[in-house]
Amino acid sequence: MAGLVPGCSRIRPLSRSVLETLVTHLGCLRREMMLELPFDEEGRLVGQVACTTGCETAVKTGGRSLLNRVLEHGAVGLVLVHNHPSGDPQPSRADVIATRRLSALCEAARIELHDHLVVGGSSAVSMRRAGLLSRAVT
């Protein structure tokens, strides 16, 4: 994806230009896509951005395989991003539950799940800023 350059793009904290790139590229898609953005100690993107596509209403990804990909890049943290083809950037209940489970796996592996962004149309919701990452798995 143009605009995301390993070693240069600032993932933590998420730079405005990277956020704009994500919204521009994901907001108009008709199928869900998830991006895994692993970052190093300085918060820079490392390796390649891994993408998974799903049906129009859901993306399926395994937590262990995702963590393995992050660890293969030597990353210390991760930002997840996925889109809602409906145009509504509000995280669904399923998004919140899956993210909290992944957060627990990341914590056990000593990987920081810094955020999970949901893009819908021309906007995005940060699950961290919305307070949706820190509660117990339900």
Side-chain angles (χ1 to χ4, degrees):
M1 176 181 295
L4 295 179
V5 181
C8 295
S9 296
R10 178 73 51 193
I11 302 302
R12 181 181 185 263
L14 197 64
S15 71
R16 175 181 224 130
S17 63
V18 169
L19 181 58
E20 289 171 358
T21 296
L22 294 169
V23 170
T24 298
H25 284 85
L26 295 177
C28 61
L29 298 178
R30 293 189 177 163
R31 296 178 78 75
E32 279 199 29
M33 177 178 278
M34 178 175 284
L35 302 178
E36 303 160 8
L37 305 175
F39 58 83
D40 65 14
E41 298 84 12
E42 284 80 42
R44 293 182 306 245
L45 180 67
V46 295
Q48 296 295 316
V49 176
C51 303
T52 49
T53 56
C55 67
E56 292 178 353
T57 59
V59 170
K60 305 276 190 240
T61 187
R64 287 186 183 155
S65 60
L66 186 150
L67 285 179
N68 285 336
R69 287 188 296 274
V70 171
L71 291 170
E72 286 171 5
H73 290 298
V76 300
L78 170 70
V79 171
L80 291 177
V81 185
H82 85 276
N83 68 309
H84 283 172
S86 68
D88 180 2
Q90 292 303 314
S92 68
R93 185 173 191 281
D95 291 340
V96 173
I97 291 169
T99 301
R100 289 178 183 165
R101 288 184 178 146
L102 181 60
S103 180
L105 285 173
C106 285
E107 187 176 329
R110 295 189 169 160
I111 293 172
E112 176 190 359
L113 178 57
H114 181 65
D115 208 343
H116 184 163
L117 303 171
V118 181
V119 176
S122 61
S123 60
V125 171
S126 161
M127 291 179 71
R128 175 163 301 285
R129 286 190 182 158
L132 300 172
L133 291 180
S134 59
R135 297 183 197 137
V137 176
T138 57

